[in-house]
Amino acid sequence: MNLVTFSGPPSSGKTAVILKTIEAIKQQGLKVGVVKFDCLYTDDDELYRKAGVPVKKGLSGSLCPDHYFVSNIEEVVQWGRERDLDLLITESAGLCNRCSPYIKDIKAICVIDNLSGINTPKKIGPMLKTADIVVITKGDIVSQAEREVFASRVSTVNPDAMVMNVNGLTGQGAFEFSTLLYDQDDHIDTVTGKKLRFSMPSAMCSYCLGETRIGEEHQLGNVRKIELGDE
């Protein structure tokens, strides 16, 4: 079974791209499943189910969805293998732009949309900077010049990634993209022992552990203060 990880900001069009891409992958005779990671709510699993795609969802609640992903990915892989999937796609919405669910030697896709702002590529962090493929969506809503500038900003942040445009509504570009996701040589039985491409935050602060009181005396652990000196 192949494992592919999709990540990207909320509402960037990940699910729409994945659905259109799965349509193309099925034409190759491959069996595909999806595990959707989110925070508090998602009904995207119903969209996959209606498309005839085996799907499971996990809601992280108060945890970062990427931390939740890493804590559950081995069980997710075994779920896919038990269903004899050829390709398992995981989808996670990075929220803090500091974490990343990507695993070394596992294909990593970042989905980002043209409407998010021209400087957004600089703000996303390892989720974009360490991806193998960057898919840009919603290109039909902006001009050709805007698309080119945005793609250039993406390439500046991650010069090693392949950058593609895919329309999640019409499916334009989805077939070409689908040919990059499955490779017989990428077969895995487990991810136990593999490593993340980028470390999660190195320490926790008191607010991570449930503190609600404001004030320096309540701030313990990994705390960073803003510089407010005179200029």
Side-chain angles (χ1 to χ4, degrees):
M1 183 186 76
N2 279 199
L3 174 65
V4 176
T5 299
F6 278 74
S7 189
S11 302
S12 57
K14 295 183 296 298
T15 301
V17 167
I18 293 171
L19 283 167
K20 290 297 184 182
T21 304
I22 287 177
E23 290 179 12
I25 291 173
K26 284 183 174 181
Q27 295 176 16
Q28 303 175 39
L30 300 174
K31 186 176 181 181
V32 189
V34 175
V35 175
K36 167 80 176 188
F37 291 90
D38 218 314
C39 291
L40 299 177
Y41 172 82
T42 182
D43 58 2
D44 288 348
D45 53 315
E46 293 299 326
L47 298 177
Y48 289 119
R49 198 167 286 114
K50 288 178 182 178
V53 179
V55 62
K56 285 289 184 181
K57 71 176 176 181
L59 299 178
S60 62
S62 60
L63 300 178
C64 164
D66 285 346
H67 286 240
Y68 182 68
F69 167 92
V70 177
S71 301
N72 289 278
I73 186 58
E74 174 60 22
E75 291 80 1
V76 164
V77 167
Q78 298 312 317
W79 174 85
R81 293 187 66 233
E82 289 168 4
R83 281 149 187 80
D84 296 320
L85 300 180
D86 297 301
L87 175 64
L88 174 62
I89 293 173
T90 65
E91 178 187 351
S92 179
L95 298 178
C96 71
N97 293 330
R98 167 60 179 76
C99 299
S100 171
Y102 303 149
I103 302 169
K104 290 182 179 179
D105 302 321
I106 300 296
K107 198 164 291 179
I109 318 295
C110 179
V111 180
I112 183 173
D113 71 275
N114 278 289
L115 299 181
S116 61
I118 197 169
N119 290 318
T120 296
K122 296 180 180 180
K123 301 176 182 179
I124 291 184
M127 187 168 59
L128 174 61
K129 293 177 181 178
T130 63
D132 298 309
I133 303 173
V134 179
V135 172
I136 304 177
T137 61
K138 305 179 184 178
D140 56 322
I141 304 177
V142 300
S143 68
Q144 177 65 27
E146 289 173 305
R147 289 196 296 271
E148 291 178 0
V149 171
F150 191 84
S152 175
R153 294 292 178 91
V154 168
S155 295
T156 298
V157 171
N158 186 346
D160 297 324
M162 178 181 293
V163 180
M164 305 186 67
N165 287 276
V166 178
N167 189 312
L169 295 179
T170 66
Q172 184 178 5
F175 175 79
E176 293 79 3
F177 177 50
S178 72
T179 63
L180 304 175
L181 297 190
Y182 180 79
D183 188 328
Q184 289 183 340
D185 294 334
D186 291 340
H187 175 86
I188 64 164
D189 293 321
T190 179
V191 291
T192 296
K194 289 186 176 294
K195 294 183 178 181
L196 293 171
R197 298 190 183 194
F198 196 88
S199 64
M200 298 294 187
S202 58
M204 294 184 295
C205 73
S206 51
Y207 297 109
C208 295
L209 300 174
E211 179 62 75
T212 59
R213 293 171 294 178
I214 297 173
E216 189 170 353
E217 67 271 24
H218 306 301
Q219 298 169 0
L220 304 174
N222 191 25
V223 177
R224 180 178 296 176
K225 292 293 189 178
I226 188 172
E227 295 288 341
L228 295 173
D230 295 334
E231 294 183 357

